[in-house]
Short mmCIF file of all heavy atoms in Angstrom, two decimals:
data_model
loop_
_atom_site.label_atom_id
_atom_site.label_comp_id
_atom_site.label_asym_id
_atom_site.label_seq_id
_atom_site.Cartn_x
_atom_site.Cartn_y
_atom_site.Cartn_z
N LEU H 144 -14.23 3.86 -2.21
CA LEU H 144 -15.32 3.60 -3.15
C LEU H 144 -15.50 2.16 -3.65
O LEU H 144 -16.50 1.67 -3.80
CB LEU H 144 -15.03 4.56 -4.41
CG LEU H 144 -15.34 6.04 -4.29
CD1 LEU H 144 -15.02 6.68 -5.48
CD2 LEU H 144 -16.89 6.26 -3.87
N VAL H 145 -14.27 1.47 -3.72
CA VAL H 145 -14.36 0.10 -4.13
C VAL H 145 -15.24 -0.81 -3.21
O VAL H 145 -15.62 -1.91 -3.53
CB VAL H 145 -13.06 -0.63 -4.29
CG1 VAL H 145 -12.23 -0.01 -5.41
CG2 VAL H 145 -12.29 -0.49 -3.06
N LEU H 146 -15.32 -0.40 -1.95
CA LEU H 146 -16.13 -1.29 -0.90
C LEU H 146 -17.42 -0.62 -0.61
O LEU H 146 -17.92 -1.01 0.42
CB LEU H 146 -15.17 -1.26 0.40
CG LEU H 146 -13.92 -2.07 0.06
CD1 LEU H 146 -13.17 -2.28 1.39
CD2 LEU H 146 -14.18 -3.53 -0.53
N LYS H 147 -17.74 0.48 -1.21
CA LYS H 147 -19.15 1.06 -0.78
C LYS H 147 -20.19 0.04 -1.08
O LYS H 147 -20.40 -0.32 -2.09
CB LYS H 147 -19.43 2.35 -1.57
CG LYS H 147 -18.64 3.56 -0.80
CD LYS H 147 -19.18 4.71 -1.24
CE LYS H 147 -20.47 5.21 -0.43
NZ LYS H 147 -20.85 6.47 -0.91
N GLN H 148 -20.92 -0.18 0.07
CA GLN H 148 -22.01 -1.31 -0.02
C GLN H 148 -23.11 -0.81 -0.94
O GLN H 148 -23.55 0.32 -0.96
CB GLN H 148 -22.51 -1.49 1.48
CG GLN H 148 -23.19 -2.76 1.68
CD GLN H 148 -23.96 -2.83 2.94
OE1 GLN H 148 -23.51 -2.10 3.84
NE2 GLN H 148 -25.10 -3.40 2.96
N GLY H 149 -23.66 -1.79 -1.60
CA GLY H 149 -24.74 -1.53 -2.56
C GLY H 149 -24.41 -0.58 -3.76
O GLY H 149 -25.45 0.04 -4.29
N GLU H 150 -23.18 -0.51 -4.16
CA GLU H 150 -22.95 0.30 -5.53
C GLU H 150 -22.06 -0.68 -6.25
O GLU H 150 -21.40 -1.50 -5.75
CB GLU H 150 -22.19 1.50 -5.06
CG GLU H 150 -22.93 2.62 -4.50
CD GLU H 150 -22.08 3.96 -4.49
OE1 GLU H 150 -20.98 4.01 -5.13
OE2 GLU H 150 -22.59 4.85 -3.72
N LEU H 151 -22.07 -0.42 -7.55
CA LEU H 151 -21.34 -1.12 -8.52
C LEU H 151 -20.01 -0.38 -8.54
O LEU H 151 -20.03 0.87 -8.94
CB LEU H 151 -21.97 -1.23 -9.93
CG LEU H 151 -23.19 -2.06 -9.87
CD1 LEU H 151 -23.73 -2.17 -11.32
CD2 LEU H 151 -23.14 -3.47 -9.31
N TYR H 152 -18.85 -0.98 -8.43
CA TYR H 152 -17.60 -0.26 -8.72
C TYR H 152 -16.56 -1.18 -9.43
O TYR H 152 -16.25 -0.99 -10.57
CB TYR H 152 -17.06 0.38 -7.44
CG TYR H 152 -15.96 1.45 -7.57
CD1 TYR H 152 -16.35 2.65 -7.83
CD2 TYR H 152 -14.61 0.96 -7.90
CE1 TYR H 152 -15.40 3.66 -8.12
CE2 TYR H 152 -13.67 2.02 -8.15
CZ TYR H 152 -14.01 3.32 -8.10
OH TYR H 152 -12.99 4.18 -8.64
N VAL H 153 -16.19 -2.14 -8.55
CA VAL H 153 -15.21 -3.13 -9.24
C VAL H 153 -15.88 -3.99 -10.35
O VAL H 153 -15.38 -4.22 -11.38
CB VAL H 153 -14.76 -4.22 -8.18
CG1 VAL H 153 -13.76 -5.18 -8.79
CG2 VAL H 153 -14.15 -3.44 -6.92
N THR H 154 -17.29 -4.16 -10.15
CA THR H 154 -18.12 -4.78 -11.17
C THR H 154 -17.97 -3.88 -12.54
O THR H 154 -17.95 -4.54 -13.64
CB THR H 154 -19.51 -4.76 -10.86
OG1 THR H 154 -19.62 -5.46 -9.55
CG2 THR H 154 -20.37 -5.53 -11.78
N CYS H 155 -17.92 -2.61 -12.40
CA CYS H 155 -17.98 -1.79 -13.69
C CYS H 155 -16.46 -2.01 -14.28
O CYS H 155 -16.42 -2.12 -15.51
CB CYS H 155 -18.03 -0.40 -13.34
SG CYS H 155 -19.47 0.03 -12.27
N ALA H 156 -15.57 -2.03 -13.50
CA ALA H 156 -14.17 -2.14 -14.08
C ALA H 156 -14.02 -3.63 -14.71
O ALA H 156 -13.50 -3.82 -15.74
CB ALA H 156 -13.08 -2.12 -12.93
N LEU H 157 -14.61 -4.64 -14.02
CA LEU H 157 -14.55 -6.00 -14.59
C LEU H 157 -15.32 -6.00 -15.98
O LEU H 157 -14.78 -6.58 -16.91
CB LEU H 157 -15.18 -6.92 -13.62
CG LEU H 157 -15.40 -8.41 -14.14
CD1 LEU H 157 -14.12 -8.89 -14.51
CD2 LEU H 157 -16.22 -9.22 -13.01
N ALA H 158 -16.50 -5.41 -15.98
CA ALA H 158 -17.27 -5.36 -17.25
C ALA H 158 -16.53 -4.71 -18.39
O ALA H 158 -16.48 -5.16 -19.55
CB ALA H 158 -18.62 -4.76 -17.01
N GLY H 159 -15.94 -3.59 -18.03
CA GLY H 159 -15.24 -2.74 -19.03
C GLY H 159 -13.99 -3.60 -19.60
O GLY H 159 -13.64 -3.70 -20.74
N SER H 160 -13.33 -4.26 -18.67
CA SER H 160 -12.20 -5.16 -19.05
C SER H 160 -12.64 -6.29 -19.94
O SER H 160 -11.95 -6.61 -20.96
CB SER H 160 -11.35 -5.58 -17.86
OG SER H 160 -11.07 -4.65 -17.01
N LEU H 161 -13.75 -6.89 -19.59
CA LEU H 161 -14.40 -7.88 -20.38
C LEU H 161 -14.69 -7.36 -21.76
O LEU H 161 -14.39 -8.10 -22.78
CB LEU H 161 -15.61 -8.37 -19.74
CG LEU H 161 -16.05 -9.89 -19.79
CD1 LEU H 161 -15.01 -10.78 -19.53
CD2 LEU H 161 -17.29 -10.01 -18.98
N ALA H 162 -15.14 -6.11 -21.93
CA ALA H 162 -15.31 -5.57 -23.27
C ALA H 162 -14.10 -5.42 -24.09
O ALA H 162 -14.11 -5.75 -25.31
CB ALA H 162 -15.89 -4.04 -23.12
N THR H 163 -12.93 -5.12 -23.40
CA THR H 163 -11.66 -5.10 -24.10
C THR H 163 -11.44 -6.54 -24.65
O THR H 163 -11.10 -6.69 -25.81
CB THR H 163 -10.62 -4.75 -23.10
OG1 THR H 163 -10.68 -3.37 -22.74
CG2 THR H 163 -9.17 -4.85 -23.85
N VAL H 164 -11.47 -7.59 -23.75
CA VAL H 164 -11.18 -8.87 -24.36
C VAL H 164 -12.05 -9.43 -25.50
O VAL H 164 -11.63 -9.78 -26.45
CB VAL H 164 -11.39 -10.00 -23.09
CG1 VAL H 164 -11.28 -11.39 -23.69
CG2 VAL H 164 -10.40 -9.69 -22.03
N VAL H 165 -13.45 -9.06 -25.27
CA VAL H 165 -14.28 -9.60 -26.26
C VAL H 165 -14.10 -8.76 -27.56
O VAL H 165 -14.00 -9.27 -28.70
CB VAL H 165 -15.84 -9.30 -25.88
CG1 VAL H 165 -16.75 -9.63 -27.04
CG2 VAL H 165 -16.09 -10.32 -24.76
N ALA H 166 -14.02 -7.34 -27.50
CA ALA H 166 -13.84 -6.58 -28.69
C ALA H 166 -12.56 -6.91 -29.55
O ALA H 166 -12.52 -7.06 -30.72
CB ALA H 166 -13.93 -5.13 -28.37
N ASP H 167 -11.56 -7.30 -28.73
CA ASP H 167 -10.26 -7.51 -29.35
C ASP H 167 -10.28 -8.89 -30.00
O ASP H 167 -9.85 -9.02 -31.07
CB ASP H 167 -9.16 -7.54 -28.33
CG ASP H 167 -7.82 -7.60 -28.96
OD1 ASP H 167 -7.30 -6.47 -29.26
OD2 ASP H 167 -7.28 -8.69 -29.11
N THR H 168 -11.00 -9.86 -29.29
CA THR H 168 -11.19 -11.07 -29.87
C THR H 168 -11.90 -11.14 -31.19
O THR H 168 -11.69 -11.74 -32.23
CB THR H 168 -11.93 -12.06 -28.94
OG1 THR H 168 -11.18 -12.02 -27.65
CG2 THR H 168 -12.03 -13.53 -29.50
N LEU H 169 -12.99 -10.19 -31.30
CA LEU H 169 -13.79 -10.05 -32.55
C LEU H 169 -12.89 -9.24 -33.57
O LEU H 169 -13.61 -8.90 -34.68
CB LEU H 169 -15.03 -9.23 -32.13
CG LEU H 169 -15.96 -10.16 -31.21
CD1 LEU H 169 -17.22 -9.36 -30.89
CD2 LEU H 169 -16.27 -11.51 -31.76
N GLY H 170 -11.84 -8.77 -33.14
CA GLY H 170 -11.00 -8.02 -34.29
C GLY H 170 -11.18 -6.58 -34.29
O GLY H 170 -10.93 -5.96 -35.35
N ALA H 171 -11.81 -5.96 -33.33
CA ALA H 171 -12.11 -4.67 -33.31
C ALA H 171 -10.76 -3.81 -33.36
O ALA H 171 -9.79 -4.33 -32.67
CB ALA H 171 -12.97 -4.04 -32.32
#
Side-chain angles (χ1 to χ4, degrees):
Chain H
L144 284 179
V145 293
L146 292 186
K147 278 195 80 175
Q148 201 196 327
E150 284 189 17
L151 298 182
Y152 195 92
V153 182
T154 304
C155 312
L157 173 61
S160 307
L161 209 53
T163 294
V164 172
V165 172
D167 192 85
T168 307
L169 298 178

